[in-house]
Amino acid sequence: MSHVGLLTPAYTGHVHPMITLGRELQRRGHRVSVISTPDAEEAVLDGGVEFITIGAREFPVGALEKFTDEQGKLNGLRALRYIIHDLARQATMHGNELLDAVRNNGVDAMVVDQLVMLGTAVAEVLDIPFVSLCSLLPMNTDLGVPPWTM
C-alpha cells in the first residue's frame, strides 16, 4: 500500500482531523505520516500515527503557543498582518525543507491542508498524487473569488 503524507500546520484544529484521517487510512492498510512542525508531534504520536518533523529550527516546540498568545492580543488589520506573516514564514520553511522531507521518507501520496501553500507544488514536482483538505472556511486563491478573510 501507499505511504501517505498528511501535511498540516501544527494548529490543533488542523492536526486532529489529519490524525483521524490518518487512522482510517491505516485501518485500510496504508502507512501514514503526519508532516508538520514539532508542536504537532506529541498529539500525532498519541493518536497512533507516524510523524515527520519539518521546521524544527524556525518553529521549535512552544512556537505555536507563542504565536497564539500574541495573536490573542491583536485585532483587526494588525491581527491579519500577524497571521499572514506567520503563514509566509511557514511557506519559506516549506520551500526549504518539504521536498526533501517527502522524498527522503518515501511518501508516495499526499493529503495537503489548504493552508500549506507549497504542498501541492511538492507533490507535482515529485509526480505523486495529492488531495487538498479543508478543515475550516475554504480558501480559494482565484482572483475572482473574495479573500477567505471576507
Side-chain angles (χ1 to χ4, degrees):
M1 285 289 178
S2 295
H3 180 188
V4 181
L6 308 178
L7 179 59
T8 185
Y11 311 137
T12 300
H14 296 254
V15 170
H16 287 280
M18 286 292 196
I19 293 169
T20 301
L21 175 61
R23 289 172 62 176
E24 177 59 22
L25 289 169
Q26 287 173 332
R27 189 186 70 74
R28 294 176 184 215
H30 298 282
R31 179 180 172 200
V32 179
S33 300
V34 170
I35 305 168
S36 191
T37 55
D39 277 319
E41 184 172 11
E42 184 177 352
V44 171
L45 295 177
D46 286 350
V49 179
E50 291 180 38
F51 188 76
I52 298 171
T53 303
I54 57 174
R57 186 171 46 90
E58 296 92 336
F59 300 93
V61 171
L64 180 60
E65 183 177 5
K66 181 179 175 185
F67 169 79
T68 56
D69 286 349
E70 183 62 27
Q71 180 190 11
K73 299 173 189 173
L74 304 173
N75 58 47
L77 197 51
R78 288 184 67 214
L80 183 58
R81 282 189 188 126
Y82 186 74
I83 293 167
I84 291 171
H85 179 262
D86 188 68
L87 291 173
R89 288 180 56 229
Q90 288 183 50
T92 299
M93 177 271 295
H94 289 133
N96 292 330
E97 298 184 28
L98 187 56
L99 181 66
D100 287 340
V102 171
R103 183 186 293 138
N104 295 342
N105 286 282
V107 171
D108 56 14
M110 291 176 65
V111 176
V112 180
D113 187 288
Q114 70 173 352
L115 286 183
V116 182
M117 304 299 177
L118 298 178
T120 56
V122 166
E124 288 178 356
V125 165
L126 294 174
D127 196 28
I128 61 176
F130 69 90
V131 296
S132 296
L133 180 122
C134 174
S135 60
L136 62 132
L137 294 173
M139 225 176 62
N140 188 331
T141 56
D142 184 318
L143 294 177
V145 176
W148 59 274
T149 54
M150 304 296 165

